[in-house]
Amino acid sequence: MSEAILPFDKYPVRPAGFVAALGPTVVVAPHPDDEALGCGGLLALLRQAGVPVFAVLVSDGTMSHPNSALFSAAARRAVREAEFRHALTLLGIDETESLLLGLPDGRVPAAAHEPGFAEAAAQLRDFLEKHAAATVLVPWRRDPHPDHRATSLLVQAALAGMPQPPRRLEYLVWAWERAAPDDLPTAADGVQGFRLNVEAGLRQKQRAIAAHRSQVAPGVFTDDADGFLLANEMLAHFAAPYEVFFEAATP
């Protein structure tokens, strides 16, 4: 772990019982596996407590192995969406209630003038309202991946159109490995960081991560030598019994 992200380990710990106050929750994942990696423990705890959880998948997930000849882009999308649904069931979430936006992996629109942004924000807003979301889980706004940052902006646009927007918790994925000093929270962000004890949901979280078989060794799309697989060093961050979140600081 780089020195830049050591502050994550210093945040105060909240007990598992914290989840009871979150109410109906929607998790927004840029790619299939982000839901399990970033907040799978929290999701498991919510379902253990009987709290409704719904999921949104933003991208089509096809660019993890773009050079596969055995699997077309459509086939890669089908595999990754099936893994996403399976992971949700392992976390206790009804996968049939999920929303798949199907935006291009690696090119999720990040501004209102970009094709697909306004439509996606409107779909997301409708989904949040349909399920009376009290909390939305979204990647940290400067998580160092362009699709994660774009997803944060999509959620921001969706919430801006709601008279009573849900509580927003921001989770970490790539910040564990790639965060530069400028990616970390500052006073200008107006957020507080905390660690959530997810030990009671850790086994489910690990099973959900493993369900993304195309992203963990030995993989599924094995004919793309340059394709992406989660490194063991990366996976180690998500084997810890806590998850890190940021939330707007209380005035």
Side-chain angles (χ1 to χ4, degrees), residues 8-46:
F8 296 165
D9 289 334
K10 308 300 182 184
Y11 293 147
V13 176
R14 295 185 184 180
F18 163 80
V19 305
L22 297 182
T25 297
V26 171
V27 56
V28 185
H31 311 97
D33 73 7
D34 289 320
E35 80 297 334
L37 294 167
C39 53
L42 171 57
L43 298 176
L45 293 177
L46 285 166

Side-chain angles (χ1 to χ4, degrees), residues 16 19 35-48 91 137 196-206 208-209 238 240-243 245:
V19 305
E35 80 297 334
L37 294 167
C39 53
L42 171 57
L43 298 176
L45 293 177
L46 285 166
R47 294 304 300 129
Q48 289 174 20
L91 294 169
L137 306 175
L196 178 66
N197 184 336
V198 298
E199 187 172 5
L202 189 56
R203 180 174 296 182
Q204 283 177 268
K205 174 177 178 169
Q206 291 297 299
I209 293 172
F238 306 104
Y242 60 82
E243 292 169 343
F245 298 92

Side-chain angles (χ1 to χ4, degrees), residues 179-193:
D182 289 347
D183 298 327
L184 301 177
T186 68
D189 293 311
V191 299
Q192 293 176 334

